Amino acid sequence: MLRERAIAGFQARWAVAPTHLAVAPGRVNLIGEHTDYQDGYVFPAAIDRYLVAAIGLAPERSELVSESNNEPSIFNTSTPEASDLPNWGKYPAGIAWALRHHTGADLPNLRAFIVADLPLGAGLSSSAAIEMAFATAWNEIAGLGLPKGVLTRLGQLAENEFVGMKCGIMDQTASLFGVAGHALRIDTTDAAHPVPVPIPDDLALLVCNTCVKHELAGSAYNERRSEVEEAARILGVSTLRHATLDQLATEQGEMSPVVARRARHIISENLRVLAFDHALASRDDAEIGRLMAESHESLRADYEVSCHELDTMAEEARALPGCIGARMTGAGFGGSVMALVHQAQATDFADELAKRYTERTGKVGQIHLCHAADGASTVQL
Ligand code: GLA
């Protein structure tokens, strides 16, 4: 068990017992990709793959240790410096920086021993999980009393300003507000009020990790973001949430073909999220599958964030018995495909998909049967 492993790791390292345990889930996104930094709609679910940190107060400086990385993250909560830290350690340090920036209060330094069964770099938001684990931890231990909607915004701020990744608000919201058995319909202009939508019992969530990680993901992500900001400027809207496909068709001559395609993805993806919500509520499985396939195609052709392995995984998933829909999930450039599959066929689906993926790509993927889970929290031990 993760919790026992985290507690034992803490005790072995510092010869005292931890006082708190932070648990934060990863997420998949059912539909609504790359829309969250343009005020759009998203439809993620927290999943039962977790990051767990056993935590206690530290005498002088924060010392965070991860089971999966040799380099600890050592900093003082009053002056964390991103350039001094290993990449993974920037996320929790960024939370300390953002909390201090927001509250003006001194934050206690912490020791933590971190374990996870959430694969890293798989497009399942291990970064938001570590952010929300430490946001809830400091909120609890320092008695800050900040509401969830503030913690998610501070997570985004930490990632945007401290880590340098210009992400939206979806991942933090999914990781903190997740509800077991439900996806969250989120209007990102009101991300503090996500609406839980039940995932029907007969549908299984399959996360199909290509095990491909593209190193350029961060810079390509920020580049997409500036392209769509340019499109919004040319269209005369604050964000593409307020633009229509007709408007784009009329004005696309004013922008480069690449910027026009980026904008078309965002505007059409927002429409697909709303249609998906209806299709799920009315259990129109054919429509669910169609929308997921269209979303993937738009991400591949217009937004250009897919890759051969993601395309192959999605294509093979769709061809298998029991699959209702499949598409890439998360930022892209590698990572995972998510598939909605009839529960009764989920195990055969996973075995067969792993086989076919290897046959076609020569790579070994990982197929995880996941369940929608509750959001992050920190408890006293
Ligand atoms: C990453 C970001 C999110 C979102 C997705 C793409 O996961 O952290 O904010 O933009 O990519 O939908």
Side-chain angles (χ1 to χ4, degrees):
M1 270 281 281
L2 284 175
R3 290 162 203 246
E4 284 72 34
R5 223 160 79 208
I7 293 170
F10 188 102
Q11 267 162 341
R13 187 164 180 112
W14 290 292
V16 287
T19 57
H20 290 79
L21 199 67
V23 178
R27 65 100 188 87
V28 284
N29 188 18
L30 275 59
I31 198 161
E33 218 64 80
H34 284 279
T35 51
D36 64 343
Y37 44 86
Q38 282 290 307
D39 286 347
Y41 301 100
V42 293
F43 214 95
I47 52 172
D48 55 348
R49 294 294 184 284
Y50 299 95
L51 178 139
V52 174
I55 299 176
L57 289 174
E60 281 164 22
R61 50 186 195 163
S62 289
E63 188 180 355
L64 315 182
V65 177
S66 163
E67 195 185 44
S68 63
N69 195 296
N70 289 333
E71 232 185 311
S73 182
I74 297 175
F75 58 91
N76 200 305
T77 53
S78 57
T79 51
E81 276 294 336
S83 55
D84 299 343
L85 301 171
N87 195 48
W88 75 267
K90 294 177 183 168
Y91 296 88
I95 290 293
W97 170 84
L99 282 168
R100 202 158 182 275
H101 179 87
H102 180 81
T103 60
D106 281 341
L107 283 183
N109 279 301
L110 301 178
R111 283 167 169 160
F113 192 86
I114 302 162
V115 302
D117 64 0
L118 179 61
L120 306 180
L124 304 177
S125 258
S126 52
S127 48
I130 195 166
E131 287 162 23
M132 292 304 101
F134 282 89
T136 58
W138 267 302
N139 200 33
E140 174 74 22
I141 294 168
L144 302 175
L146 296 172
K148 286 182 179 180
V150 172
L151 297 181
T152 52
R153 280 284 165 210
L154 292 178
Q156 186 193 14
L157 181 74
E159 204 159 329
N160 288 178
E161 303 300 327
F162 193 83
V163 181
M165 163 82 175
K166 302 291 179 190
C167 67
I169 191 76
M170 168 171 77
D171 301 346
Q172 294 79 3
T173 305
S175 183
L176 189 54
F177 284 89
V179 177
H182 293 68
L184 300 174
R185 186 182 68 228
I186 305 168
D187 173 344
T188 58
T189 62
D190 187 21
H193 299 100
V195 179
V197 176
I199 298 176
D201 284 347
D202 62 318
L203 292 190
L205 284 182
L206 273 296
V207 173
C208 319
N209 185 359
T210 61
C211 295
V212 173
K213 196 181 166 203
H214 287 210
E215 292 306 332
L216 282 176
S219 54
Y221 184 97
N222 291 351
E223 192 179 292
R224 296 296 180 286
R225 190 164 172 157
S226 29
E227 286 163 348
V228 294
E229 284 165 2
E230 183 182 336
R233 259 195 314 277
I234 295 171
L235 292 174
V237 288
S238 54
T239 59
L240 292 178
R241 156 69 170 272
H242 307 289
T244 63
L245 288 171
D246 283 348
Q247 204 176 349
L248 178 65
T250 316
E251 298 187 42
Q252 64 182 13
E254 304 299 314
M255 51 187 90
S256 74
V258 169
V259 168
R261 281 191 281 120
R262 305 292 191 251
R264 185 167 62 185
H265 166 69
I266 306 263
I267 301 171
S268 62
E269 185 77 350
N270 276 328
L271 296 171
R272 282 188 287 272
V273 178
L274 300 177
F276 182 91
D277 185 30
H278 286 295
L280 190 64
S282 55
R283 265 325 276 283
D284 184 345
D285 288 358
E287 178 72 352
I288 291 173
R290 193 185 67 75
L291 291 163
M292 291 176 77
E294 258 186 42
S295 169
H296 186 99
E297 181 55 17
S298 177
L299 288 156
R300 186 192 69 77
D302 281 351
Y303 221 60
E304 294 180 279
V305 293
S306 189
C307 61
H308 170 65
E309 291 82 358
L310 282 169
D311 295 342
T312 307
M313 188 74 95
E315 196 181 303
E316 291 298 334
R318 277 183 217 122
L320 285 172
C323 182
I324 290 170
R327 58 179 286 282
M328 57 157 277
T329 189
F333 314 104
S336 299
V337 158
M338 72 106 4
L340 282 175
V341 179
H342 286 294
Q343 200 70 255
Q345 280 145 301
T347 313
D348 290 348
F349 171 94
D351 294 345
E352 188 59 29
L353 182 58
K355 213 167 83 198
R356 291 194 184 186
Y357 176 70
T358 300
E359 274 164 18
R360 278 194 54 194
T361 63
K363 299 191 167 129
V364 179
Q366 282 172 358
I367 320 292
H368 306 276
L369 172 57
C370 296
H371 302 93
D374 282 331
S377 61
T378 290
V379 293
Q380 196 164 0
L381 290 170

